[in-house]
Amino acid sequence: STVFLPSRQAPQEVVEVGLILPLTGPAASIGELFKSSMEWKAEQLRAEGLLIQLHIEDTASDPKRAVTGFQKLFAVDGVRLFYTTTSAAAVALLPSAEKEEVLLSAGASHPALTKGTRHILRHSNVVPRDAALMRDFARLHQAKRVGFIFQQDDWGVTMREHVANLLAQDGVVLLAEAIPVGATDVRSPLTKIIGERPDILVLGALGPTAGILAKQAREQGYQGLLYSSVGFVLTPDAQKIAGGAAKGMWYQTYPRNTVFE
């Protein structure tokens, strides 16, 4: 006969997961969403017997602080699985992930993030798709001159390059001005663009700046078409900040995956 003995399981290892998120600064609303969802999922998995310990670092929407947070989580907390969001943070963290040979998962739209690396997983709309939507809007309204004011980070610079290339193929003039991330006064760059009489003014920013851009564009006397990137719908208070200036503005959005959230 055969006797079956109970197996002796080794003590379960704790899975250390590092969350490097913008919990303050312009992208805080996104960071808080991911923080709460990760905490919910970790609690669910613990109830199923999988031991997960979350370690959280705030980037304050600053890529340099993302790198500092990574170094602390890796060296002090022993983390080997990381999650971050925003393209600026993901681009800044990728060299560290490759050097230390750890896994970095990112909610980021920068198109070059996954090229030539085995250390990053990416999920998000990609910049080329969003740039094509802007181009299609310009075609729909037969625009000849498009103004584009964008935040000066990896997302903004890459978006500007793609939009410029697509519009050039249609013979459309692009009038572009960069602004700092988190800018609260954008009147000067807006004045430059508006002075060139664009048919459409595209607003590319995240956080309160997304609403400020629309508000100050109208205050500067621009009466043409306003078009915003997804930063407007990703910012909870953008419509409140913009006030009446948001009326009639076009903006990019996408179906929200409530199951994922």
Side-chain angles (χ1 to χ4, degrees):
S1 63
T2 302
V3 177
F4 293 94
L5 299 176
S7 62
R8 292 185 177 181
Q9 295 182 345
Q12 188 175 357
E13 184 177 352
V14 176
V15 179
E16 310 286 353
V17 178
L19 306 181
I20 303 176
L21 301 172
L23 302 177
T24 55
S29 60
I30 303 173
E32 287 292 343
L33 170 64
F34 281 112
K35 176 177 176 288
S36 61
S37 64
M38 294 292 188
E39 289 174 336
W40 166 77
K41 188 61 180 179
E43 182 178 350
Q44 183 185 61
L45 292 173
R46 289 190 201 105
E48 297 173 3
L50 180 62
L51 302 182
I52 289 184
Q53 177 66 40
L54 297 181
H55 302 268
I56 304 172
E57 291 290 324
D58 178 17
T59 69
S61 306
D62 182 347
K64 293 180 180 178
R65 286 189 54 168
V67 174
T68 301
F70 177 96
Q71 293 169 344
K72 187 260 182 184
L73 292 173
F74 180 83
V76 178
D77 299 314
V79 172
R80 298 297 181 266
L81 299 173
F82 295 84
Y83 181 84
T84 194
T85 190
T86 76
S87 292
V91 169
L93 290 175
L94 182 54
S96 297
E98 292 181 321
K99 176 185 176 183
E100 306 299 350
E101 297 188 328
V102 298
L103 182 64
L104 173 65
S105 180
S109 57
H110 198 293
L113 274 172
T114 55
K115 291 182 180 178
T117 179
R118 300 192 310 168
H119 295 281
I120 190 166
L121 302 173
R122 189 195 64 77
H123 66 89
S124 179
N125 286 1
V126 291
V127 165
R129 179 183 178 277
D130 287 347
L133 288 175
M134 293 183 186
R135 184 272 319 277
D136 292 346
F137 185 79
R139 283 179 174 175
L140 177 65
H141 294 276
Q142 301 179 331
K144 299 300 181 184
R145 300 167 70 81
V146 173
F148 184 30
I149 187 163
F150 61 95
Q151 60 187 33
Q152 200 162 16
D153 60 8
D154 289 284
W155 175 88
V157 172
T158 306
M159 180 66 80
R160 186 245 179 234
E161 292 173 355
H162 279 76
V163 171
N165 291 335
L166 291 175
L167 292 180
Q169 294 172 19
D170 289 353
V172 177
V173 175
L174 179 67
L175 313 162
E177 289 287 334
I179 57 173
V181 175
T184 57
D185 186 350
V186 292
R187 287 173 293 184
S188 179
L190 279 171
T191 298
K192 291 180 182 179
I193 293 180
I194 293 170
E196 297 292 331
R197 299 184 181 278
D199 301 308
I200 297 170
L201 181 56
V202 177
L203 313 176
L206 181 69
T209 309
I212 292 170
L213 278 169
K215 182 174 185 292
Q216 294 188 353
R218 293 307 191 199
E219 288 175 347
Q220 295 299 96
Y222 182 71
Q223 298 300 318
L225 290 171
L226 285 179
Y227 179 101
S228 179
S229 69
V230 294
F232 193 82
V233 295
L234 288 175
T235 303
D237 293 332
Q239 185 173 345
K240 180 179 178 181
I241 293 168
K247 186 175 182 179
M249 184 180 76
W250 297 75
Y251 58 91
Q252 287 187 359
T253 187
Y254 49 85
R256 299 190 69 156
N257 188 330
T258 54
V259 176
F260 176 77
E261 292 182 1

